[in-house]
Amino acid sequence: MPRKADPNVRTTLIDIAARLLAEEGPKAMSTRRIAAEAETSTMAVYTHFGSMSGLVREIVYEGFSRLQNNFSMVKETDDPVADLCVHGRAYRGNALANSYLYSAMFGGEALAGFELTEEDRQHGRYVLASIVNCVNRCVDTGRFRQADVGMVAHHMWFAMHGLVNLELGRYLIEPWGAKECFETQLVTLVVGAGDDLETATESVAVSGERYAVELEA
């Protein structure tokens, strides 16, 4: 009786390749090694991805897909600032849970050896839509000052990305640990966008409770 194909092999190959790329760089990316660690044949790499560049492309796409899946679990409520902060927590949580994929998503020079198009590199921008929507609602309800909501969303992204990178690199240590920096960063960002300190602090606290229910659970 022929052996059934493993339905999880594609995801396994992506996760293994992402780890090798993050830990050892492009030189570690050989079909033989990836297949060996996945306990499958080298043909599986070509069957699922066509080429090594195709595999790297799918690593990037998979990373953003998992992030978008996290974002999709955030409920829309009558507190758009809390909604925005839950998204921030989802961004951080996804990065910590998928650190190798996260590294590849923003690989820059590390991916230069593979044939990724500019479209591939900009692929993940679709995840910003929900952030822009939250910021827009914050402006509409008077929590944030009138501004270019796309630019505000980008500033939120820059701040979260920078903090998460420092956390993954283990640069944030006590008394300015990652958790403490993250919580105060959320308050600082929304106050900077125009929110009142007291209401901002309340919404950030609510977002922490909601994240535990909506995503961690």
Side-chain angles (χ1 to χ4, degrees), residues 14-96:
I14 287 174
D15 286 334
I16 289 171
R19 174 175 56 79
L20 292 174
L21 186 61
E23 290 184 341
E24 301 180 37
K27 291 182 178 180
M29 299 284 283
S30 73
T31 54
R32 185 183 299 275
R33 183 170 178 188
I34 293 169
E37 293 206 22
E39 298 183 346
T40 187
S41 67
T42 57
M43 183 56 66
V45 176
Y46 297 106
T47 299
H48 286 279
F49 311 107
S51 65
M52 191 59 70
S53 291
L55 172 54
V56 174
R57 180 181 299 111
E58 288 305 309
I59 291 172
V60 174
Y61 281 35
E62 178 69 16
F64 282 107
S65 177
R66 292 185 193 183
L67 175 58
Q68 179 62 22
N69 183 60
N70 273 12
F71 280 179
S72 71
M73 291 189 282
V74 180
K75 300 183 187 304
E76 185 173 308
T77 71
D78 58 2
D79 185 346
V81 172
D83 297 350
L84 181 62
C85 292
V86 179
H87 277 83
R89 295 180 188 281
Y91 187 91
R92 177 180 178 232
N94 180 74
L96 296 179

Side-chain angles (χ1 to χ4, degrees), residues 84-210:
L84 181 62
C85 292
V86 179
H87 277 83
R89 295 180 188 281
Y91 187 91
R92 177 180 178 232
N94 180 74
L96 296 179
N98 301 284
S99 60
Y100 300 128
L101 290 175
Y102 184 81
S103 178
M105 288 158 66
F106 306 102
E109 292 301 315
L111 305 183
F114 302 100
E115 296 177 6
L116 296 185
T117 66
E118 186 62 21
E119 182 180 353
D120 291 333
R121 292 180 182 278
Q122 300 298 330
H123 167 78
R125 284 188 167 274
Y126 72 92
V127 302
L128 279 172
S130 54
I131 307 301
V132 172
N133 177 57
C134 280
V135 172
N136 193 54
R137 291 170 50 232
C138 289
V139 171
D140 286 346
T141 57
R143 296 287 296 272
F144 286 3
R145 70 177 69 89
Q146 290 292 327
D148 178 338
V149 296
M151 183 61 75
V152 174
H154 272 73
H155 279 287
M156 299 289 177
W157 177 25
F158 305 156
M160 287 295 101
H161 183 69
L163 189 149
V164 167
N165 273 355
L166 289 172
E167 181 174 6
L168 289 174
R170 300 179 183 176
Y171 292 107
L172 300 177
I173 59 175
E174 299 300 334
W176 305 288
K179 185 178 185 301
E180 293 78 10
C181 287
F182 180 78
E183 296 297 330
T184 55
Q185 176 79 311
L186 288 177
V187 175
T188 299
L189 286 171
V190 296
V191 170
D195 203 14
D196 172 79
L197 177 59
E198 183 177 352
T199 54
T201 302
E202 292 174 356
S203 290
V204 169
V206 167
S207 75
E209 297 169 359
R210 284 180 48 194

